[in-house]
PDB file of all heavy atoms in Angstrom:
ATOM      1  N   GLY V1653     -74.453   2.987  -0.562  1.00  0.00           N
ATOM      2  CA  GLY V1653     -74.708   3.582  -1.861  1.00  0.00           C
ATOM      3  C   GLY V1653     -74.042   2.814  -2.985  1.00  0.00           C
ATOM      4  O   GLY V1653     -73.987   3.276  -4.116  1.00  0.00           O
ATOM      5  N   ALA V1654     -73.548   1.645  -2.688  1.00  0.00           N
ATOM      6  CA  ALA V1654     -72.931   0.769  -3.693  1.00  0.00           C
ATOM      7  C   ALA V1654     -72.991  -0.647  -3.144  1.00  0.00           C
ATOM      8  O   ALA V1654     -73.079  -0.848  -1.928  1.00  0.00           O
ATOM      9  CB  ALA V1654     -71.484   1.171  -3.941  1.00  0.00           C
ATOM     10  N   SER V1655     -72.946  -1.627  -4.029  1.00  0.00           N
ATOM     11  CA  SER V1655     -73.126  -3.000  -3.549  1.00  0.00           C
ATOM     12  C   SER V1655     -71.842  -3.544  -2.935  1.00  0.00           C
ATOM     13  O   SER V1655     -70.751  -3.000  -3.126  1.00  0.00           O
ATOM     14  CB  SER V1655     -73.620  -3.900  -4.682  1.00  0.00           C
ATOM     15  OG  SER V1655     -72.676  -3.953  -5.713  1.00  0.00           O
ATOM     16  N   SER V1656     -72.004  -4.606  -2.164  1.00  0.00           N
ATOM     17  CA  SER V1656     -70.890  -5.256  -1.467  1.00  0.00           C
ATOM     18  C   SER V1656     -69.754  -5.524  -2.437  1.00  0.00           C
ATOM     19  O   SER V1656     -69.967  -6.127  -3.482  1.00  0.00           O
ATOM     20  CB  SER V1656     -71.330  -6.618  -0.919  1.00  0.00           C
ATOM     21  OG  SER V1656     -72.589  -6.546  -0.330  1.00  0.00           O
ATOM     22  N   ALA V1657     -68.570  -5.083  -2.080  1.00  0.00           N
ATOM     23  CA  ALA V1657     -67.445  -5.308  -2.988  1.00  0.00           C
ATOM     24  C   ALA V1657     -66.284  -5.986  -2.263  1.00  0.00           C
ATOM     25  O   ALA V1657     -65.876  -7.089  -2.632  1.00  0.00           O
ATOM     26  CB  ALA V1657     -67.001  -3.998  -3.606  1.00  0.00           C
ATOM     27  N   ALA V1658     -65.776  -5.352  -1.201  1.00  0.00           N
ATOM     28  CA  ALA V1658     -64.651  -5.963  -0.477  1.00  0.00           C
ATOM     29  C   ALA V1658     -65.080  -7.277   0.172  1.00  0.00           C
ATOM     30  O   ALA V1658     -64.325  -8.256   0.169  1.00  0.00           O
ATOM     31  CB  ALA V1658     -64.120  -5.001   0.580  1.00  0.00           C
ATOM     32  N   SER V1659     -66.304  -7.308   0.704  1.00  0.00           N
ATOM     33  CA  SER V1659     -66.760  -8.551   1.349  1.00  0.00           C
ATOM     34  C   SER V1659     -67.035  -9.625   0.305  1.00  0.00           C
ATOM     35  O   SER V1659     -66.823 -10.826   0.567  1.00  0.00           O
ATOM     36  CB  SER V1659     -67.999  -8.293   2.203  1.00  0.00           C
ATOM     37  OG  SER V1659     -69.029  -7.687   1.443  1.00  0.00           O
ATOM     38  N   ALA V1660     -67.474  -9.217  -0.881  1.00  0.00           N
ATOM     39  CA  ALA V1660     -67.688 -10.194  -1.957  1.00  0.00           C
ATOM     40  C   ALA V1660     -66.347 -10.740  -2.449  1.00  0.00           C
ATOM     41  O   ALA V1660     -66.190 -11.953  -2.653  1.00  0.00           O
ATOM     42  CB  ALA V1660     -68.453  -9.546  -3.109  1.00  0.00           C
ATOM     43  N   ALA V1661     -65.372  -9.840  -2.592  1.00  0.00           N
ATOM     44  CA  ALA V1661     -64.036 -10.290  -2.998  1.00  0.00           C
ATOM     45  C   ALA V1661     -63.446 -11.227  -1.955  1.00  0.00           C
ATOM     46  O   ALA V1661     -62.851 -12.268  -2.277  1.00  0.00           O
ATOM     47  CB  ALA V1661     -63.123  -9.084  -3.201  1.00  0.00           C
ATOM     48  N   ASN V1662     -63.643 -10.882  -0.688  1.00  0.00           N
ATOM     49  CA  ASN V1662     -63.144 -11.728   0.407  1.00  0.00           C
ATOM     50  C   ASN V1662     -63.760 -13.122   0.340  1.00  0.00           C
ATOM     51  O   ASN V1662     -63.076 -14.137   0.528  1.00  0.00           O
ATOM     52  CB  ASN V1662     -63.485 -11.061   1.743  1.00  0.00           C
ATOM     53  CG  ASN V1662     -63.082 -11.910   2.928  1.00  0.00           C
ATOM     54  OD1 ASN V1662     -61.898 -12.073   3.187  1.00  0.00           O
ATOM     55  ND2 ASN V1662     -64.065 -12.476   3.617  1.00  0.00           N
ATOM     56  N   ALA V1663     -65.057 -13.166   0.060  1.00  0.00           N
ATOM     57  CA  ALA V1663     -65.741 -14.461  -0.017  1.00  0.00           C
ATOM     58  C   ALA V1663     -65.244 -15.278  -1.211  1.00  0.00           C
ATOM     59  O   ALA V1663     -65.123 -16.504  -1.127  1.00  0.00           O
ATOM     60  CB  ALA V1663     -67.254 -14.243  -0.112  1.00  0.00           C
ATOM     61  N   ALA V1664     -64.949 -14.600  -2.321  1.00  0.00           N
ATOM     62  CA  ALA V1664     -64.417 -15.306  -3.493  1.00  0.00           C
ATOM     63  C   ALA V1664     -63.052 -15.912  -3.168  1.00  0.00           C
ATOM     64  O   ALA V1664     -62.751 -17.057  -3.540  1.00  0.00           O
ATOM     65  CB  ALA V1664     -64.320 -14.358  -4.687  1.00  0.00           C
ATOM     66  N   VAL V1665     -62.240 -15.151  -2.444  1.00  0.00           N
ATOM     67  CA  VAL V1665     -60.931 -15.663  -2.008  1.00  0.00           C
ATOM     68  C   VAL V1665     -61.139 -16.881  -1.095  1.00  0.00           C
ATOM     69  O   VAL V1665     -60.494 -17.918  -1.268  1.00  0.00           O
ATOM     70  CB  VAL V1665     -60.131 -14.545  -1.285  1.00  0.00           C
ATOM     71  CG1 VAL V1665     -58.915 -15.108  -0.566  1.00  0.00           C
ATOM     72  CG2 VAL V1665     -59.714 -13.468  -2.286  1.00  0.00           C
TER      73      VAL V1665
END
Side-chain angles (χ1 to χ4, degrees):
S1655 62
S1656 317
S1659 55
N1662 176 70
V1665 168

